[in-house]
Amino acid sequence: MSVKLLYFAWVREKTGLGEETVDLPGDVKTITDLIDWLKARGPEFVSAFEQSDVIRTAIDQTHVPHDAAIANAREIAFFPPVTGG
Amino acid sequence: MIRVQQENFDIGAEIERLRDNRTDIGAIVSFTGTVRDTAQGAPITEMTLEHYPGMTEKELERIEAEANERWPLQESLIIHRYGPMKPGENIVLVVTASPHRQAAFEAAEFLMDFLKTNAPFWKKEDGPEGGDWVDARESDDDALKRWETPEKAAE
């Protein structure tokens, strides 16, 4: 499955990427699976997702918890808790 | 209405546009968030706001729709800036209008509380010692809880 991944704020700085498109293996079914898969890609992802419980996620621009299924997602974003306003 | 923009805004002009010479409005409440020149005692020379284009607009529209469902608002406006800003500059404007003040006051607070915990913006503060991402505050999560409806609180 091909999906666009986006990274914001310090997650972006740590991965060194703003966005990328990846092909995911079939056994990556939830956000938690995806984080584990990303961490296996290299030290910058290990560092970015070290405290993975802090990181917030959105599928197709809607907030979701880490146990959310990613089936049919077009766009998945990772970011720290928001600090606007 | 919501707007996400890099440029500054004129608070007075925005309120006048929202009023549009109407005579049925009885109360207008506005909140402006601005850039402070210190953070935990350390000087700030610049603040940069990053956001998630697309999702930001969706979240602000969702939050505004929810406020309009809960209170009898005649008008509402959210403007949020992104990009680099200097101390003293405007960051965010929320304006609500209703026939009586209570709805306008409450809806403006609700909009800010929801925006602070849901709209995908991130602040980075720059000072003489370098740049730092601002940490989210637990008090913002607590502020949100007072708006929980009985059904939502039970979840």
Side-chain angles (χ1 to χ4, degrees):
Chain A
M1 182 179 90
S2 176
V3 61
K4 183 168 154 187
L5 304 181
L6 296 105
Y7 309 98
F8 292 98
W10 55 255
V11 182
R12 171 179 56 74
E13 289 183 349
K14 288 186 176 189
T15 60
L17 284 172
E19 61 174 82
E20 61 176 333
T21 301
V22 295
D23 276 314
L24 295 178
D27 58 349
V28 176
K29 295 186 189 306
T30 64
I31 295 288
T32 304
D33 295 341
L34 176 54
I35 290 174
D36 290 340
W37 183 80
L38 286 168
K39 282 164 94 170
R41 293 169 80 202
E44 67 275 30
F45 287 94
V46 173
S47 159
F49 291 95
E50 198 176 3
Q51 286 178 283
S52 63
D53 53 328
V54 173
I55 292 179
R56 306 297 159 92
T57 54
I59 292 181
D60 295 334
Q61 307 189 346
T62 299
H63 291 287
V64 294
H66 284 198
D67 59 4
I70 59 174
N72 306 318
R74 292 182 304 275
E75 186 173 300
I76 302 175
F78 296 97
F79 44 82
V82 303
T83 54
Chain B
M1 193 168 81
I2 66 116
R3 256 162 49 210
V4 181
Q5 62 187 46
Q6 188 151 11
E7 62 273 23
N8 196 8
F9 47 81
D10 178 332
I11 300 164
E14 295 298 341
I15 293 173
E16 282 311 307
R17 190 173 311 140
L18 175 132
R19 297 174 75 159
D20 193 26
N21 297 313
R22 290 171 64 158
T23 53
D24 58 335
I25 293 173
I28 298 172
V29 167
S30 84
F31 170 85
T32 310
T34 58
V35 182
R36 269 187 308 273
D37 63 2
T38 55
Q40 285 101 45
I44 300 293
T45 51
E46 189 170 83
M47 172 177 277
T48 304
L49 266 130
E50 182 170 327
H51 78 118
Y52 181 174
M55 181 168 172
T56 306
E57 288 82 355
K58 271 174 76 169
E59 279 297 305
L60 294 180
E61 277 165 6
R62 187 177 68 84
I63 294 163
E64 185 186 40
E66 178 137 5
N68 277 273
E69 250 173 56
R70 290 189 183 209
W71 287 279
L73 300 180
Q74 293 164 308
E75 292 291 338
S76 55
L77 171 67
I78 307 172
I79 303 176
H80 205 303
R81 294 180 64 200
Y82 63 90
M85 292 161 219
K86 297 284 184 199
E89 281 191 45
N90 299 325
I91 305 171
V92 59
L93 176 68
V94 162
V95 186
T96 52
S98 58
H100 302 283
R101 74 180 184 284
Q102 192 185 359
F105 270 127
E106 287 182 7
E109 271 204 282
F110 170 89
L111 286 170
M112 278 309 302
D113 287 347
F114 266 66
L115 180 158
K116 285 206 88 100
T117 47
N118 289 284
F121 286 97
W122 302 275
K123 286 176 181 152
K124 190 174 197 178
E125 293 169 337
D126 273 307
E129 306 291 311
D132 248 326
W133 292 98
V134 173
D135 283 327
R137 288 161 171 255
E138 251 175 65
S139 58
D140 288 334
D141 289 331
D142 293 342
L144 197 64
K145 287 190 186 127
R146 65 188 158 140
W147 302 111
E148 279 178 4
T149 54
E151 309 89 75
K152 284 197 174 167
E155 277 174 13

